[in-house]
């Protein structure tokens, strides 16, 4: 069975791609898990078309969810054009969406080859970007972006630009192996970009 959308902690999560340009050391995609704590099976047989995803989402009662979250087992921004189409089409069909959130690695502009941040305006209410480290070396070691050191600069630039268009920009960091000084540095960095820092607890396998 293929999971396009699933409920988790009161929100509806949308899973349209398993692609990612990173290889985070903690990522469930390559830790040998089939599925995860979130849903039975997030490995997609094929990437659903935008129409398949629309059909799936139209069956949901959006009024009961806290957020509509584009996330899943991969980097959702690989499908940004389809995500934007889905958001627009649902609204055109009269669906009242809960606040829309993206959980992203912040590499969208590199992935799509253009600055997409103005397109977030009016579509995305909350963007959550994985900071994963207080400096470039730590970030690169943890996330292993395919573009190497560019990943860090891209992510910071995307965060700064998103803050102009998205009401709430959050950077997340996992507390494992972090000193209070690391967290302070990460917080100062997030705030300098117009974001707030959210410290997440490490969940072992
Ligand atoms: S950015 Fe997300 S999907 Fe990509 S490897 Fe890291 S944790 Fe996995």
């Amino acid at each position: 069975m293929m999971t396009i959308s699933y409920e988790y902690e009161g929100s509806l999560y949308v899973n349209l791609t398993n692609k990612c340009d990173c290889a985070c050391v903690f990522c469930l995609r390559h830790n040998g898990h089939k599925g995860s704590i979130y849903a039975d099976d997030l490995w997609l047989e094929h990437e659903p078309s935008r129409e398949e995803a629309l059909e799936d989402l139209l069956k949901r009662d959006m009024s009961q969810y806290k957020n509509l979250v584009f996330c899943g087992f991969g980097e959702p921004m690989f499908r940004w054009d389809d995500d934007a189409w889905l958001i627009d089409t649902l609204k055109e069909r009269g669906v009242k969406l809960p606040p829309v959130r993206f959980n992203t690695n912040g590499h969208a502009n590199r992935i799509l080859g253009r600055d997409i941040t103005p397109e977030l305006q009016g579509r995305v209410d909350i963007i959550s970007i994985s900071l994963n480290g207080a400096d470039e070396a730590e970030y690169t070691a943890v996330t292993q972006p395919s573009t190497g050191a560019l990943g860090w600069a891209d992510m910071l630039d995307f965060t700064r630009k998103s803050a102009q268009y998205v009401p709430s920009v959050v950077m997340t960091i996992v507390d494992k192996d972090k000193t209070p000084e690391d967290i302070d540095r990460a917080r100062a960095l997030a705030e300098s970009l117009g974001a707030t820092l959210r410290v997440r607890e490490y969940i072992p396998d």
Side-chain angles (χ1 to χ4, degrees):
M1 204 203 93
M2 185 159 92
T3 306
I4 297 177
S5 66
Y6 57 98
E7 296 173 351
Y8 180 64
E9 291 191 337
S11 290
L12 187 69
Y13 283 69
V14 187
N15 174 43
L16 295 191
T17 185
N18 291 150
K19 281 193 204 126
C20 191
D21 62 318
C22 290
C24 296
V25 293
F26 52 78
C27 182
L28 296 169
R29 286 164 69 239
H30 54 81
N31 280 355
H33 291 254
K34 190 99 168 111
S36 75
I37 53 170
Y38 303 117
D40 293 343
D41 194 347
L42 295 182
W43 285 110
L44 299 164
E45 292 154 15
H46 64 272
E47 290 207 342
S49 66
R50 47 168 73 174
E51 290 79 12
E52 278 179 284
L54 180 66
E55 197 184 320
D56 180 279
L57 293 178
L58 283 170
K59 289 186 200 138
R60 301 282 188 172
D61 173 8
M62 291 290 173
S63 70
Q64 62 171 305
Y65 301 116
K66 202 165 65 179
N67 289 131
L68 176 63
V69 186
F70 288 81
C71 166
F73 236 29
E75 169 48 50
M77 285 297 182
F78 273 90
R79 299 287 307 268
W80 166 249
D81 292 329
D82 294 323
D83 299 337
W85 179 86
L86 274 172
I87 294 164
D88 293 349
T89 307
L90 287 164
K91 287 180 180 169
E92 280 162 26
R93 300 273 183 104
V95 178
K96 197 171 165 337
L97 296 179
V100 174
R101 171 154 63 93
F102 271 71
N103 291 354
T104 177
N105 63 21
H107 295 163
N109 292 347
R110 173 86 47 196
I111 292 166
L112 294 155
R114 66 178 198 275
D115 178 12
I116 65 121
T117 56
E119 302 165 32
L120 301 171
Q121 189 161 33
R123 294 189 172 110
V124 179
D125 301 287
I126 306 157
I127 195 149
S128 178
I129 299 163
S130 309
L131 179 57
N132 286 332
D135 58 37
E136 182 187 307
E138 195 186 355
Y139 176 83
T140 308
V142 172
T143 58
Q144 309 186 87
S146 61
T147 55
L150 282 178
W152 168 254
D154 286 348
M155 179 273 297
L156 298 182
D157 184 62
F158 181 80
T159 305
R160 191 183 298 110
K161 289 180 171 145
S162 295
Q164 298 173 43
Y165 302 106
V166 177
S168 172
V169 180
V170 180
M171 295 185 109
T172 60
I173 197 162
V174 177
D175 62 0
K176 186 173 178 274
D177 303 329
K178 298 282 184 310
T179 63
E181 291 72 30
D182 291 337
I183 300 290
D184 286 347
R185 268 197 307 154
R187 180 167 290 113
L189 176 62
E191 288 174 0
S192 76
L193 301 168
T196 53
L197 186 75
R198 188 165 75 86
V199 182
R200 290 190 297 136
E201 204 184 321
Y202 176 69
I203 305 165
D205 287 347

